[in-house]
Amino acid sequence: MELQGKRIVLGVTGGIAAYKAAELVRLLGKQGADVQVAMTEGATHFVTTTTFQALSGKPVFTDQWDARMANAMAHIDLSRQADLILVAPASADFMARTAQGLADDLLATMVLARNCPLLIAPAMNRQMWENPATQRNVAQLVADGVQILGPASGEQACGEVGAGRMLEPAEILDAVIAFFTPKLLAGKQVLITAGPTFEAIDPVRGITNLSSGRMGYAVARAAQQAGALVTLVSGPVGFSAPQGVDRINVRSALDMHAAVMAQVARADIFIGVAAVADYRVANRAAHKLKKDAGGIPPIELIENPDILAEVAALENAPFCVGFAAESQNLEAYAQAKRRRKKIPLIAGNLIQDGFGGDDNRLVLFDDAGVHPLNPAPKSVLARQLIEHIANLTGKN
Ligand code: PMT
């Protein structure tokens, strides 16, 4: 629950993306946020108040003169209760009114009266977004300290293609979580490896492992949310990069080694989460091996470079963190890897059911000793790991 106890007013304005705000309420609620929805009159033409009331478990406010507020000051009462006002979707009209400081409906008045931060996720036709008037309003809002999320580019409800789509609810959720995350790694450059590597046998076959990339991607996301500038060198996995993270796609251990070495000079912290193949195929076939060629084809293996050990041995090495997946003797094996690779911190995971799940069990080993973390989703463990790294690097 990454937003436990956070009070968020979600403003919904008139636009077809209003239907996605319903999913956003659900996602915010699942993370423990207390969501109060306020809609403009325009928004009610797209989605009913009943939808948001059912999803948030609270009456929805649309009217400044709502009789449910005994003191007739909905704009003050609602904004004072909030840690954050989030407006998604934010129409061009809402942005224009907010940039001007108008207070002509409940949401605009609440935004003007707020004493908490404001995040807005624009959604509009691409011509409206590109219009100089909208761009002037965006610049004014940014100058006023408003954080703008997106918009994304792509196909629009009107059939046109371009910038102006609202970010997906999961992306907005990520931005909200990032907003509340303490910036423990502000300005730090963090380089992370994740996922498996794939060592080709021939053009269509290879040796790989079952790393899904989930743990490494969770670490990348947590580091980014803690204010770091994150580069993620990723083996082949099935999902997209966390928002705000630069991803470099690689396939083999040699590719991963080259990408890391090209980036490492500017890294303050290096975290090796990838399950890198220890060996690659020395006699890789140029053409697909044929079964009827006679006999079982011999596969010769040759050792891959140890990326983590090599980074740790650099003259100006970043703070290095390793991972160790073990099915037994976790402490002994993880500590041995930490010593062999000469790194200050290693995260051991006891892998009994293979890789790939959403949860994990981590034990951190450093100079100060052994720090077991409670079994938890990888996102939670990643945040705890980042806090641990921030503590250790803060002391350097
Ligand atoms: O991707 P998931 O499904 O979420 O699973 C996550 C994970 C289990 C793969 C991850 O948490 C993990 O433990 N990764 C390390 C796996 C491992 O045991 O690696 P290793 O013992 O081969 O290597 C130890 C460390 O050296 C690791 O940090 C590894 O990235 C690094 N290494 C290893 C070999 C090599 N040639 N280069 C390296 O940099």
Side-chain angles (χ1 to χ4, degrees), residues 7 28 48-49 51 69 77 88 102 131 167 170 189 205 215 229 254 267 271 287 293 296 300 346 365 386:
R7 295 164 307 175
L28 292 167
T48 67
T49 55
T51 304
M69 285 290 184
D77 286 8
L102 295 185
N131 191 296
L167 293 185
Q189 296 270 358
R205 303 184 183 93
M215 190 71 235
L229 302 156
L254 282 186
I271 312 176
H287 297 285
I296 298 174
E300 290 165 29
I346 196 159
F365 302 95
I386 292 300

Side-chain angles (χ1 to χ4, degrees), residues 211-213 215 272-274 305 307-308 323 325 337 341 349 355-356 378:
S211 167
S212 63
M215 190 71 235
V273 195
I307 304 167
L308 178 58
F323 267 72
K337 274 182 194 172
K341 296 181 191 242
N349 17 197
F355 304 157
K378 287 175 179 172

